Amino acid sequence: MSIDTHVSDADEGPLESALHVVPFDVDPPYEPELDDLDTGEFDDRFLDRELSWLRFNQRVLELAENPSTPLLERARFLAIFTSNLDEFFMVRVAGLKRRIAAGVAVRSASGLMPKEVLQQIWAEASVLMARHAGVFREQLIPALAAEDIQLVRWEDLDRDEQRECKKIFKERVFPVLTPLAVDPAHPFPYISGLSLNLAVLVANPKTGKEHFARVKVPQIFSRFVPLGNQRFVPLEDVIGEHLKRLFPGMDVKAVHTFRVTRNEDLEVEEDDAENLLKALEKELLRRRFGPPVRLEVEETIDERVLNLLVSELGVREEEVVRLPGPLDLRGLHDIADLDRADLRFDTFLPSTHRLLAPVESASPVDIFKAVGRSDVLLHHPYDSFSTSVQRFIEQAAADPHVLAIKQTLYRTSGDSPIIDALVDAAEAGKQVLVIVEIKARFDEQANIRWARKLEQAGCHVVYGIVGLKTHCKLAMVVREEPDGIKRYTHIGTGNYNPKTARMYEDFGLLTTDEAIGEDIAHLFNNLSGWSRNARYDQIMVAPDSVRSGLIERIRAEVAHHQAGRPARVRIKANSVVDEAVIDELYRASRAGVPVDLLIRGICSVRPGVPGLSETIRVRSVLGRFLEHSRIFWFENGGEPEAYLGSADMMHRNLDRRVEVLVKLPDVDLVAEVGSVLDLAFDPGTAAWTLGRDGAWTAVEQTGDAPLVSMHDVLVKARRKR
């Protein structure tokens, strides 16, 4: 279960030219079409994207606050909130600071200057961080204790537990610790980003002179030390109580924990694959030394120690966050993983899609025969990834009739069976083309490793088009069959990652549709060669046609509505920020077209504004699975059509990435995704609604029937099937 890792979806700086390092993250000002939206009446029609993201993380926090959320899942949501906010500061806040330092005073679409956005971020984030700490101390710890799971501090331990901690420290922790003193011979040490540290004041008992030292809390050990009987103590407490062993002969005067968040975004462009690899590896080293953007300290910290940290780290006073300990609650993932099924979401094992499930034999279904009979719309995690997409690639690698496999890889797991299957296919003599996006934020190192492994196995590895990230999720198998060559294609909304596919909600289409196969074949040629075909029949491809294609279809709904035919727009996405698309939705709303948006994260649309967006509804669903799919559904005069794919409505997706949306080729598939949207917008489904002021409000129960979880409904439906 996860909601994190998604600030990595944040916009990146524009890729302007080869061999150019992008100095800051800034989007070009939006220039609206000259119509009645540009009269000044609706200058504030866009919500700020950064503040919208903070309110997404607030919804994550509300899941942790909700007593109806299973207790260990509440702990997990607190951990997710922490990692989400860490990444937000590492990328988005760092980008704003770079922009301000560079003097790039570009007003955002929301009308705010960078300094104003940063001020509001700190105001809201500070409240959220304090609220997060309060939930942990005042709600979670007592609730866990009531279930005999105790998170305690050193002073709560009995003698036997203290002796056990002393043994753990002596045998395991002490050998890996390195105290770093600060004096004229020892400069202030480098503090790595997101590491937990102890600031220690020691004094010479003979002279009384005080000295500062830093001790890094090792990340190789559990954040919370298990003491038996489901009792845990923070690792820094164990270290702090045994500092005499690190500083023999000195008096330990004070110990305080602190944590630094640094700018860890990458700023690199490429001119060719080999230079890109080298540049990225250099940047990955630089990332460790990015400037600080936040300093978290315990609220009881000695002012002298704090002043030293602020001075040596170069942080501003407003970038210091005082919190009650313990800091860094990412370690609550370990608590959430405890073997207490009664305190977690009901166990759910994805099932094989009905069209891919064996009927009588225990042997796996022949994927090619099954897809040849009927298109298959997969809905993960309800439909198993391993028995569908993974098996598709594995069978292709082993099938002697398969001539070629072509695939994009953006993020995958560390022990990916997809990578292994591609290696097997290449070693078996098949033509294997892999488009590896090694600039996938925070996965760069892993992707470099996989790229080289694939190259060594004989795969053709390319890195897409200069200046664009390849974010689309595509796989194509070319197979020789009795009636000729046939293409089998998979187009998805999520990464080829078997691990995240068990937690992320995504759609994928397996098809032999000839028009789709022809389009995808052309696109792979564009990505690997010099072809520049930008015309496709069944797919939209960014940066060429996703924005314009969606705008064209939104305008078609307006025409249907004006002609008295059924008209409606429904979009499901992670984020909607692009001003051109939003303005088109406003125009559709002003014409009377109903517009429903299901947005997990950032939304710059301001719904319900009289004269502008009265027919626009915006909902958000968060829960046990991470809503990740992108769906674009149009009523189309009574003959609905739908597209799914990899693109969110953000500048980087539409202008600086290769993205693909595919038109679903069958009315039954359109109805299937439509039913998911119906459930999401049902008044009885638990969700949040967005107000015109940018605030999100949880849907309240009406009548006697309790609200239902969208995820639970879909899990139960799969179990029945």
Side-chain angles (χ1 to χ4, degrees):
M1 182 336 322
S2 181
I3 295 224
D4 55 346
T5 71
H6 301 309
V7 186
S8 45
D9 282 344
D11 276 348
E12 293 131 349
L15 301 174
E16 295 164 354
S17 64
L19 290 178
H20 173 67
V21 176
V22 180
F24 44 76
D25 178 1
V26 58
D27 293 309
Y30 173 57
E31 296 182 3
E33 292 189 12
L34 296 177
D35 63 4
D36 52 359
L37 284 180
D38 194 36
T39 61
E41 181 182 357
F42 301 116
D43 282 349
D44 62 346
R45 63 189 183 274
F46 302 118
L47 297 173
D48 187 81
R49 59 153 295 160
E50 314 298 357
L51 301 178
S52 180
W53 185 92
L54 280 177
R55 289 158 194 173
F56 151 67
N57 213 28
Q58 176 181 324
R59 300 196 294 281
V60 175
L61 182 58
E62 288 176 13
L63 288 171
E65 294 171 326
N66 190 339
S68 67
T69 303
L71 184 56
L72 292 184
E73 305 297 348
R74 294 176 67 186
R76 194 181 303 282
F77 283 123
L78 285 178
I80 289 169
F81 174 94
T82 301
S83 56
N84 278 357
L85 199 60
D86 288 345
E87 198 170 326
F88 178 73
F89 273 92
M90 288 190 296
V91 177
R92 300 306 306 178
V93 173
L96 279 170
K97 286 192 66 177
R98 286 200 309 272
R99 197 181 308 177
I100 293 168
V104 183
V106 178
R107 195 175 296 276
S108 71
S110 65
L112 298 175
M113 297 295 287
K115 283 188 177 180
E116 295 172 314
V117 175
L118 194 58
Q119 289 171 354
Q120 291 196 36
I121 285 175
W122 274 112
E124 294 198 19
S126 298
V127 171
L128 287 177
M129 285 185 276
R131 180 172 160 186
H132 174 257
V135 173
F136 173 70
R137 292 165 64 93
E138 299 163 20
Q139 297 183 30
L140 187 70
I141 288 179
L144 288 171
E147 295 291 344
D148 295 322
I149 300 171
Q150 297 178 317
L151 303 184
V152 298
R153 304 307 296 262
W154 181 264
E155 57 269 20
D156 302 316
L157 304 183
D158 60 32
R159 288 182 178 271
D160 289 340
E161 289 172 331
Q162 289 183 359
R163 279 194 292 267
E164 177 63 21
C165 286
K166 182 177 182 179
K167 181 181 178 182
I168 291 171
F169 178 84
K170 180 180 178 181
E171 295 179 355
R172 292 183 54 79
V173 180
F174 176 72
V176 303
L177 294 179
T178 303
L180 296 175
V182 176
D183 60 28
H186 300 85
F188 192 87
Y190 173 76
I191 309 296
S192 54
L194 301 188
S195 63
L196 190 63
N197 302 273
L198 298 181
V200 185
L201 270 184
V202 296
N204 186 319
K206 294 182 179 180
T207 65
K209 186 174 182 180
E210 292 185 339
H211 303 274
F212 174 86
R214 173 258 193 160
V215 178
K216 182 176 180 179
V217 178
Q219 296 181 343
I220 58 175
F221 301 118
S222 296
R223 175 72 180 79
F224 293 96
V225 178
L227 303 172
N229 298 320
Q230 297 189 130
R231 278 170 65 82
F232 302 85
V233 64
L235 178 58
E236 66 268 26
D237 282 17
V238 176
I239 297 172
E241 287 298 321
H242 295 90
L243 289 174
K244 275 285 190 181
R245 289 183 61 87
L246 284 175
F247 304 98
M250 302 291 282
D251 292 335
V252 177
K253 295 293 188 180
V255 183
H256 306 285
T257 56
F258 70 95
R259 185 170 179 257
V260 178
T261 310
R262 293 185 177 277
N263 172 5
E264 297 201 15
D265 201 8
L266 294 183
E267 307 159 18
V268 65
E269 295 191 26
E270 77 280 9
D271 61 343
D272 59 59
E274 189 57 33
N275 284 345
L276 174 59
L277 285 174
K278 293 177 180 177
L280 266 176
E281 288 172 328
K282 181 179 178 180
E283 277 292 292
L284 288 169
L285 290 174
R286 184 207 59 78
R287 173 185 277 173
R288 296 171 46 210
F289 299 94
V293 294
R294 179 180 58 162
L295 171 63
E296 297 170 89
V297 299
E298 284 188 300
E299 58 189 6
T300 56
I301 191 169
D302 184 289
E303 286 299 321
R304 293 173 299 162
V305 175
L306 178 58
N307 291 338
L308 175 65
L309 292 175
V310 168
S311 173
E312 293 291 345
L313 291 169
V315 297
R316 299 174 183 273
E317 183 178 344
E318 62 269 20
E319 295 171 335
V320 177
V321 182
R322 297 172 180 260
L323 295 169
L327 305 179
D328 188 8
L329 294 182
R330 293 176 299 171
L332 286 174
H333 280 298
D334 292 338
I335 304 301
D337 288 336
L338 289 174
D339 188 16
R340 289 290 301 271
D342 57 317
L343 301 179
R344 292 205 299 266
F345 290 126
D346 292 340
T347 301
F348 169 66
L349 294 176
S351 58
T352 301
H353 190 284
R354 59 185 178 81
L355 296 178
L356 304 179
V359 180
E360 299 176 355
S361 170
S363 301
V365 160
D366 185 320
I367 295 282
F368 301 111
K369 286 184 179 179
V371 177
R373 288 190 296 266
S374 173
D375 293 334
V376 178
L377 182 65
L378 301 163
H379 193 190
H380 310 300
Y382 313 104
D383 294 321
S384 168
F385 181 90
S386 62
T387 60
S388 56
V389 180
Q390 180 180 321
R391 185 172 291 166
F392 172 56
I393 302 300
E394 290 173 337
Q395 286 190 1
D399 189 333
H401 300 292
V402 168
L403 306 177
I405 303 173
K406 302 185 179 186
Q407 187 166 1
T408 61
L409 286 178
Y410 192 76
R411 303 182 195 274
T412 189
S413 59
D415 54 350
S416 173
I418 299 287
I419 299 287
D420 292 339
L422 294 172
V423 167
D424 291 343
E427 292 177 345
K430 295 176 171 59
Q431 293 289 313
V432 179
L433 169 69
V434 190
I435 313 294
V436 178
E437 182 46 75
I438 58 175
K439 301 187 299 299
R441 183 176 278 149
F442 299 120
D443 274 342
E444 299 94 346
Q445 194 69 60
N447 286 7
I448 289 172
R449 186 168 64 251
W450 297 133
R452 288 185 166 146
K453 179 178 179 179
L454 291 164
E455 285 179 327
Q456 291 166 3
C459 299
H460 301 296
V461 179
V462 297
Y463 304 100
I465 298 173
V466 170
L468 298 174
K469 277 190 177 182
T470 304
H471 187 251
C472 49
K473 325 298 183 184
L474 307 174
M476 186 175 70
V477 172
V478 181
R479 191 169 187 265
E480 187 171 33
E481 300 189 353
D483 56 349
I485 299 293
K486 181 178 282 189
R487 297 186 183 98
Y488 294 81
T489 306
H490 174 264
I491 303 102
T493 67
N495 298 306
Y496 290 103
N497 188 323
K499 291 185 178 179
T500 57
R502 295 193 291 268
M503 302 176 290
Y504 288 20
E505 178 274 342
D506 275 301
F507 278 99
L509 173 68
L510 280 168
T511 182
T512 59
D513 183 279
E514 292 185 8
I516 293 175
E518 187 79 12
D519 283 349
I520 299 301
H522 282 308
L523 179 56
F524 271 114
N525 289 341
N526 291 350
L527 293 172
S528 64
W530 291 108
S531 170
R532 198 65 187 95
N533 174 51
R535 297 182 62 84
Y536 304 95
D537 293 327
Q538 298 298 311
I539 64 175
M540 301 182 214
V541 179
D544 294 314
S545 60
V546 170
R547 180 188 284 111
S548 59
L550 290 175
I551 286 176
E552 179 182 334
R553 281 152 185 80
I554 294 169
R555 290 176 178 175
E557 293 304 303
V558 173
H560 285 305
H561 178 74
Q562 292 173 340
R565 296 186 292 269
R568 181 167 47 154
V569 176
R570 296 194 288 182
I571 295 175
K572 180 180 183 298
N574 298 320
S575 302
V576 173
V577 173
D578 186 75
E579 293 87 3
V581 172
I582 293 174
D583 272 351
E584 210 57 50
L585 294 174
Y586 286 151
R587 294 184 186 101
S589 178
R590 299 181 78 180
V593 176
V595 176
D596 288 334
L597 305 178
L598 182 62
I599 311 300
R600 184 192 79 224
I602 306 169
C603 184
S604 294
V605 176
R606 198 184 289 275
V609 176
L612 176 70
S613 56
E614 294 174 74
T615 68
I616 297 180
R617 294 189 302 167
V618 183
R619 274 196 163 208
S620 182
V621 170
L622 302 179
R624 69 180 298 177
F625 302 130
L626 181 87
E627 291 293 314
H628 191 250
S629 64
R630 294 87 164 182
I631 301 169
F632 304 86
W633 189 98
F634 305 96
E635 189 73 52
N636 193 35
E639 298 179 359
E641 63 179 21
Y643 293 77
L644 63 81
S646 56
D648 282 310
M649 298 297 97
M650 302 177 76
H651 309 116
R652 63 92 195 270
N653 295 93
L654 303 181
D655 296 322
R656 305 194 294 274
R657 286 189 169 188
V658 179
E659 306 276 14
V660 170
L661 301 181
V662 63
K663 181 179 179 180
L664 293 179
D666 184 271
V667 293
D668 291 337
L669 305 185
V670 175
E672 192 171 336
V673 298
S675 68
V676 172
L677 296 175
D678 291 340
L679 175 61
F681 284 97
D682 189 294
T685 297
W688 285 262
T689 60
L690 178 62
R692 70 183 68 167
D693 60 352
W696 291 85
T697 305
V699 172
E700 295 185 356
Q701 175 181 334
T702 56
D704 297 330
L707 296 172
V708 300
S709 160
M710 178 174 170
H711 299 152
D712 287 349
V713 170
L714 293 172
V715 164
K716 290 175 183 176
R718 283 305 190 276
R719 284 174 174 160
K720 288 179 181 178
R721 191 181 71 182

